[in-house]
Amino acid sequence: MDLEPTDEQRMIVETVRRFVRDEIVPLEADLDPDASALVPEDHERLVEKVRSMGFYGLDIPVAYGGPDIDIVTRTLMAIEMSQHRAGLYTPCYGVFGGAGLAQLFEANDEQKDRYLYPTLRGEKKGFFGLTEPSGGSDPARAIETSAVKDGDDWVLNGAKIFISGADMADYGIVFARTDPSRGRDGITCFIVDTDMPGFHVRRVVHTLRSTSYATELQFEDLRVPSKNVLGEVNRGFAIANDRLSRQRIPYAAGCIGVAQKAQEMTIAYSKQRETFGEVLANRQSIQWMIVDNEIDLRTSRWLTLAAADKAERGEPFRTEAAMAKLVATEASGRVVDRAIQVHGGYGVTKDLPLERWYRELRIRRIGEGPSEVQRLIMARDLIGGAFH
Amino acid sequence: MRLRLDKPWTPLTDETVKRIPGQLGVYELADESGRVLYVGMAGGRSLFGLRGEIGQHAGGTATQFRYEVNMQYLTRHQELLMLHVADTGELPELNRTNPPARLGRIG
Ligand SMILES: Cc1cc2nc3c(=O)[nH]c(=O)nc-3n(C[C@H](O)[C@H](O)[C@H](O)COP(=O)(O)OP(=O)(O)OC[C@H]3O[C@@H](n4cnc5c(N)ncnc54)[C@H](O)[C@@H]3O)c2cc1C
C-alpha cells in the first residue's frame, strides 16, 4: 500500500492550501472568533471561485453532478480545508458545497425530486434525527419514538435530542420504532417535513460550541404519509449505520487539519518566544511536546488515509474508519492541548484559534459515535460478532 | 438555565454602565414600559465586553437594560431572538435594521 500522494494529489492539495490561506483566513480577522458563517457577499464570491476551480459539491456523487475526485484525494483536501479558525465544524465556511444528508441518495425517485435535488440546489435544508434522550450510543435499543400505522399514514410520537439544525430545516430524517418486538430490525427511517402539525422544536441545547447549537424535538401525533418512508419499513437502522460509517473518514480528516495547523503554530512560536535567555525551541521539554504532536499527527493521518484507501477500493472499511475516527479525534485533542501549553497565556485567549479548537475537539470524541463505541465496533469486527 | 432573560431591568445611565462587567454575554434593552427593543451580544471582538456593548446605547431610545454573562454568546443570542419571535411574532424593533441572516424556529 502506497499512501504517498501522487503528483496530481499534491497539486490539488496545494491549490486548496492556497485557497484557505489567501481567501479564508484573512476574512476571519473581521469575524467574531466563534463565527461559523461568512457575510453573504463573501460566501457567494468564494462559491463561484470554488466552482471555477472544479471542486464545488465535493461530497456529491459524480452521478449527481459532484466532481470526479476519489476518496483519498477528498480526504487530503478535507485535511487542508479545516486549517482555519472555524475549520473543524465549518471547513471553508461551506463554500465547497455539500450533499447534506447522504441517506437521501437511497431515496426513491419521487423522494429525490422532493428532497434530494432541492437540497443539492441549496433550496432545502435537512436534519438527521437519530439520538433520543434515552441514549445515542446504542440507538437500536434506545429508540423509543414510536411510529404506528394508521391508514396510509404513520403516526409518530416521541422525542429526539442533540439534533443539529432542526430549527432551520425544511425536513429531517427521523428514525422511529415501527415494530417494538424486533430490536434493530424494528426501526424505520422517515422523511419528516418540519411544517407538519405535531412537529416541535422544544428548545435549543447549548454546548461547548458557542457558534452552533443542537435542538430538542418533540413529535406529538405527527402524521407522516407512507410515501415518506425512506428505504424499507423496519430496515431503517441499516441506513443509519451506513451513514455513520462513511462519515467517520472526513470527520477524522477535519481533526487532523486543525491539529496540523496547531503544530505549525507551535513550532513557529517556540522558535520565536524567549524565556530565561533562550528560545522555547531549545528546551527539551518543548521539543518533546512537538515530537509527541508529530507522532499523534502522523498516526492519525496514516490511519485515516488507509481507511480512505480501503473505501476507495470498495473493500470493507468499518474497522479502519472506526480506528481513524477514534485515533484522530483523541490525538488531535492532545496536539491542541500541547499547542496551548507552548503558547502560554496567549494559547487560551480568543486572539488565537487554539481555544476554539480545544473546545470543539472535545465534542469530536462524542459526536458521530463516541470513542467507546468506536472500540466496540472494532472489537465486534475483530472478535466476530461476540458483542451483538 | 432559564430560557428567557427575566432578570429585573436596570436604568441605562453612564453610572450604571460603569458597573457592567467586561465579560462576554448577551443583553436586552427596553423602553420605559419594559418592552424589549433590542437583543444584543458581546462577542469575542467586543473591546470591553458587555460594558462596551451596552454602553454604546446610553443616550439612545432604550432606557433600561439587563444582561447575562455567557460564553455561548452566539447561540444564546440566537435563542433569545428566536424566543422573542415566538412570543411576539417579530424581531425586536432595533434588531430589524440588521436582521440575522438566518434564524431558527422554536415552539
Ligand atoms: C454537539 C452535538 C451535536 C449532535 N448532533 C446530532 C445530530 O444532528 N443528530 C443525532 O442524531 N445525534 C446528534 N448528536 C448526538 C450524538 O451522536 C450522541 O451524543 C452520541 O451518539 C452519544 O450518545 P449519548 O450522548 O446519548 O451518550 P450515551 O449513549 O448515553 O453514552 C454515555 C457514555 O457512555 C459510553 N458508552 C456507551 N456504551 C458503552 C459501552 N458499551 N461500554 C463503554 N462505554 C459506553 C459512551 O461512549 C458515552 O461516553 C449530537 C451530539 C452533540 C454533542
Side-chain angles (χ1 to χ4, degrees):
Chain A
M1 183 176 60
D2 180 12
L3 289 178
E4 272 304 299
T6 61
D7 285 348
E8 193 190 353
Q9 285 171 334
R10 276 184 216 281
M11 210 176 70
I12 292 176
V13 163
E14 189 49 39
T15 307
V16 177
R17 183 171 299 165
R18 260 190 283 117
F19 180 84
V20 172
R21 292 185 184 184
D22 298 348
E23 303 287 353
I24 300 288
V25 172
L27 295 176
E28 294 193 319
D30 294 327
L31 297 175
D32 184 273
D34 272 10
S36 59
L38 296 172
V39 294
E41 304 84 72
D42 285 331
H43 193 273
E44 279 157 36
R45 180 175 56 79
L46 292 181
V47 164
E48 280 319 307
K49 196 151 202 164
V50 171
R51 276 189 205 280
S52 70
M53 286 155 58
F55 293 151
Y56 190 74
L58 210 51
D59 52 355
I60 299 173
V62 182
Y64 293 86
D68 190 3
I69 299 175
D70 64 88
I71 301 173
V72 176
T73 309
R74 274 191 264 156
T75 305
L76 290 167
M77 291 172 80
I79 291 174
E80 295 302 321
M81 284 162 60
S82 68
Q83 294 191 30
H84 60 98
R85 195 187 283 265
L88 190 62
Y89 277 93
T90 39
C92 294
Y93 295 91
V95 298
F96 281 69
L101 299 164
Q103 298 78 2
L104 284 181
F105 293 110
E106 289 160 47
N108 62 36
D109 288 347
E110 191 265 339
Q111 291 168 340
K112 280 181 184 159
D113 282 341
R114 279 193 296 144
Y115 300 103
L116 176 65
Y117 301 126
T119 305
L120 294 181
R121 290 195 297 270
E123 295 160 11
K124 279 193 176 178
K125 287 202 178 298
F127 69 83
F128 182 78
L130 179 68
T131 307
E132 302 205 354
S134 49
S137 301
D138 182 19
R141 287 183 186 78
I143 286 178
E144 289 174 358
T145 293
S146 67
V148 177
K149 193 90 198 277
D150 183 28
D152 200 31
D153 294 336
W154 290 86
V155 180
L156 271 65
N157 279 287
K160 297 278 173 189
I161 193 149
F162 297 130
I163 308 304
S164 306
D167 60 316
M168 304 230 190
D170 303 286
Y171 68 91
I173 288 178
V174 169
F175 296 83
R177 197 168 288 286
T178 34
D179 186 343
S181 66
R182 294 178 59 195
R184 66 172 52 220
D185 294 325
I187 290 167
T188 301
C189 182
F190 296 90
I191 308 176
V192 168
D193 290 310
T194 55
D195 59 4
M196 285 173 168
F199 178 90
H200 303 286
V201 179
R202 284 304 184 208
R203 70 176 176 115
V204 159
V205 183
H206 298 280
T207 67
L208 282 171
R209 286 184 71 200
S210 153
T211 180
S212 172
Y213 46 77
T215 59
E216 182 167 346
L217 308 180
Q218 195 190 358
F219 312 129
E220 275 180 329
D221 292 330
L222 174 68
R223 205 164 260 282
V224 182
S226 287
K227 64 177 183 176
N228 279 32
V229 169
L230 182 60
E232 291 169 43
V233 171
N234 291 334
R235 301 283 305 139
F237 201 65
I239 294 177
N241 260 349
D242 188 56
R243 182 240 191 204
L244 293 173
S245 220
R246 277 171 197 283
Q247 262 301 106
R248 285 178 187 132
I249 298 173
Y251 202 78
C255 297
I256 297 168
V258 297
Q260 200 163 300
K261 191 74 200 160
Q263 169 77 329
E264 222 175 78
M265 291 168 63
T266 304
I267 293 173
Y269 191 71
S270 71
K271 287 187 192 167
Q272 164 213 324
R273 184 70 164 179
E274 278 188 30
T275 64
F276 301 95
E278 286 272 6
V279 289
L280 291 175
N282 288 348
R283 309 287 180 192
Q284 194 178 47
S285 62
I286 302 291
Q287 292 167 358
W288 286 10
M289 284 200 241
I290 290 169
V291 169
D292 288 345
N293 274 357
E294 197 61 27
I295 293 169
D296 274 336
L297 267 165
R298 290 192 196 193
T299 317
S300 308
R301 192 181 163 89
W302 279 88
L303 286 173
T304 305
L305 289 175
D309 185 54
K310 268 205 142 178
E312 179 61 32
R313 283 189 278 121
E315 291 175 21
F317 64 98
R318 188 170 52 182
T319 296
E320 285 74 9
M323 203 177 288
K325 196 272 179 189
L326 170 74
V327 173
T329 53
E330 300 207 335
S332 54
R334 290 193 295 269
V335 170
V336 170
D337 185 65
R338 292 187 199 107
I340 287 179
Q341 198 64 21
V342 173
H343 281 81
Y346 295 108
V348 291
T349 65
K350 286 195 178 291
D351 296 359
L352 299 180
L354 296 170
E355 65 84 33
R356 177 171 178 178
W357 294 338
Y358 181 79
R359 283 182 285 126
E360 294 188 340
L361 277 169
R362 186 62 188 85
I363 303 175
R364 302 293 261 216
R365 286 161 52 195
I366 294 169
E368 299 282 336
S371 297
E372 294 75 17
V373 171
Q374 304 306 326
R375 287 190 167 89
L376 205 104
I377 290 166
M378 288 184 270
R380 276 177 185 162
D381 281 350
L382 294 169
I383 302 169
F387 298 100
H388 274 289
Chain B
M1 190 171 71
R2 297 173 103 96
L3 221 50
R4 286 167 179 77
L5 249 188
D6 50 8
K7 295 175 175 179
W9 293 105
T10 303
L12 180 54
T13 66
D14 289 344
E15 267 318 296
T16 54
V17 166
K18 281 186 200 150
R19 291 198 292 273
I20 303 173
Q23 276 156 298
L24 308 183
V26 291
Y27 62 93
E28 289 179 346
L29 304 175
D31 62 14
E32 220 40 64
S33 70
R35 184 172 62 100
V36 175
L37 297 176
Y38 186 69
V39 177
M41 74 170 200
R45 302 234 183 269
S46 304
L47 210 49
F48 293 101
L50 287 161
R51 181 168 61 244
E53 293 295 326
I54 298 173
Q56 287 177 20
H57 298 277
T61 37
T63 55
Q64 311 188 76
F65 71 92
R66 57 188 174 192
Y67 65 82
E68 176 183 288
V69 172
N70 195 324
M71 289 300 283
Q72 270 63 38
Y73 51 87
L74 280 170
T75 52
R76 182 71 171 131
H77 181 232
Q78 287 173 61
E79 180 179 46
L80 289 176
L81 285 172
M82 283 154 69
L83 287 167
H84 191 94
V85 172
D87 292 346
T88 67
E90 54 190 359
L91 282 171
E93 202 174 301
L94 300 177
N95 289 96
R96 285 176 222 156
T97 46
N98 188 17
R102 294 173 67 224
L103 191 65
R105 295 176 303 267
I106 206 165

